[in-house]
Amino acid sequence: MSVCDDTLLCNYPKCRTKLSGFAWVTACSHVFCDQHGSGEFSRSPAICPACSSALSGKLDIVRTELSPSEEYKAMVLAGLRPDIVLDISTRALAFWSYQVHQERMYQEYSFSRAEVQLKQMEKMLSQQNQSRELELTAMRGEIASLKKVMEEYKRKYSEVSERLMERNRQYQKLQGLYDSLRLRNMVVGERDRPTQPGHHDYNTGLARQAIPQRSPQFLSSGLDGDSRFFSCLEADGAKTFFQFSSPAQDRGQPLIKKN
């Protein structure tokens, strides 16, 4: 508020509204709005809410009209000597100057508090930015390490896939060899088997049908590459892999053993 402003502000700490209509003026050069003045100065003894001064005098508190009528202005100082009029005017101007000075001090105090709060917030913001930068740096490093781990896993997966394909090819070759050897062994065994006189085969007249044995099941190798290629053949008299009966061993065994 400057000297040329035509309104005063209520000096009550929690009010500070522009005064209009009626105001309460104290001998300690403070002014209050009609609402807070009526509430504060109705008690006895009266104490100034701004400076806590005791206001015990008869004219220490005055309720005045801020926009008096023209008749009041014409008659309030009529009949007084010029020196008294000047003294009253000087006191009134001093009151106004004090209010302007107080308002300026209050604004400077508010500005300094705002500056302190701004500096604190800037410091807090700077600390938060630094912590965020550290977190971002740590996360970037973690992402880089995870990318390296992922590339390593991709490389291992490619190697394991190539080994699996190679073993599948080996399995196909071994399975073909196994099937050809098994069929050849069965044909040779049937061709070299002697027929004994006096013994009649119950299946005479019927073509002997060789029941093919089941091929060994292939077990897919896992990522470790240590799993087997073949499972064991079924336990219904089948022989293990690459164990075949020779023609010499089967030559002396009859098909049906009679008592």
Side-chain angles (χ1 to χ4, degrees):
M1 183 181 65
S2 62
V3 178
C4 61
D5 290 336
D6 57 351
T7 55
L8 296 175
L9 299 179
C10 177
N11 295 158
Y12 194 78
K14 296 181 180 180
C15 181
R16 298 193 56 79
T17 58
K18 291 184 178 181
L19 300 177
S20 61
F22 290 89
W24 293 77
V25 181
T26 63
C28 54
S29 299
H30 291 108
V31 61
F32 303 93
C33 63
D34 197 21
Q35 178 183 357
H36 288 98
S38 300
E40 293 293 330
F41 301 135
S42 60
R43 297 186 295 268
S44 182
I47 297 176
C48 179
C51 62
S52 301
S53 299
L55 304 172
S56 57
K58 182 178 181 182
L59 296 177
D60 286 348
I61 304 171
V62 176
R63 184 175 183 267
T64 182
E65 186 177 2
L66 297 178
S67 299
S69 61
E70 294 298 327
E71 293 81 3
Y72 179 82
K73 293 177 183 179
M75 299 301 296
V76 64
L77 296 178
L80 298 178
R81 296 194 309 269
D83 57 342
I84 297 177
V85 174
L86 290 176
D87 187 28
I88 293 173
S89 300
T90 301
R91 292 173 185 268
L93 291 175
F95 177 84
W96 190 273
S97 298
Y98 176 78
Q99 285 293 315
V100 172
H101 176 71
Q102 288 296 111
E103 181 63 22
R104 187 186 68 183
M105 295 295 293
Y106 178 79
Q107 295 295 337
E108 289 178 355
Y109 171 72
S110 299
F111 180 73
S112 63
R113 285 187 60 187
E115 281 187 338
V116 172
Q117 292 179 357
L118 179 62
K119 289 180 180 179
Q120 291 178 352
M121 293 181 68
E122 287 179 349
K123 184 178 180 180
M124 186 181 302
L125 180 62
S126 176
Q127 293 176 353
Q128 290 180 355
N129 289 335
Q130 291 178 358
S131 62
R132 296 296 182 274
E133 287 295 332
L134 293 176
E135 291 178 0
L136 285 174
T137 304
M139 291 178 68
R140 287 169 182 168
E142 186 176 357
I143 289 173
S145 62
L146 289 175
K147 285 182 177 179
K148 291 181 180 179
V149 172
M150 185 176 65
E151 293 297 330
E152 182 67 19
Y153 277 119
K154 285 183 178 180
R155 185 184 62 80
K156 290 182 179 180
Y157 174 77
S158 178
E159 293 178 357
V160 171
S161 298
E162 292 178 358
R163 291 170 60 185
L164 179 61
M165 293 175 63
E166 180 64 26
R167 293 193 179 186
N168 282 336
R169 288 192 292 268
Q170 294 177 2
Y171 166 75
Q172 296 295 333
K173 292 180 181 180
L174 291 174
Q175 188 177 14
L177 180 60
Y178 168 77
D179 292 337
S180 62
L181 290 175
R182 180 172 56 82
L183 293 175
R184 186 176 65 179
N185 184 52
M186 292 173 60
V187 171
V188 172
E190 289 295 330
R191 183 184 305 169
D192 297 340
R193 188 181 303 275
T195 57
Q196 297 180 2
H199 293 279
H200 181 71
D201 193 355
Y202 291 102
N203 295 325
T204 303
L206 298 177
R208 297 177 58 87
Q209 298 179 356
I211 302 175
Q213 297 178 356
R214 295 178 59 186
S215 299
Q217 296 179 357
F218 175 71
L219 296 179
S220 60
S221 60
L223 293 179
D224 52 358
D226 295 333
S227 300
R228 290 178 164 184
F229 289 105
F230 306 101
S231 64
C232 294
L233 297 178
E234 296 182 354
D236 53 352
K239 301 177 179 57
T240 57
F241 186 64
F242 289 124
Q243 290 182 355
F244 309 102
S245 59
S246 62
Q249 293 177 354
D250 294 339
R251 196 170 292 146
Q253 296 179 1
L255 292 176
I256 299 176
K257 198 171 184 181
K258 292 185 179 181
N259 294 328

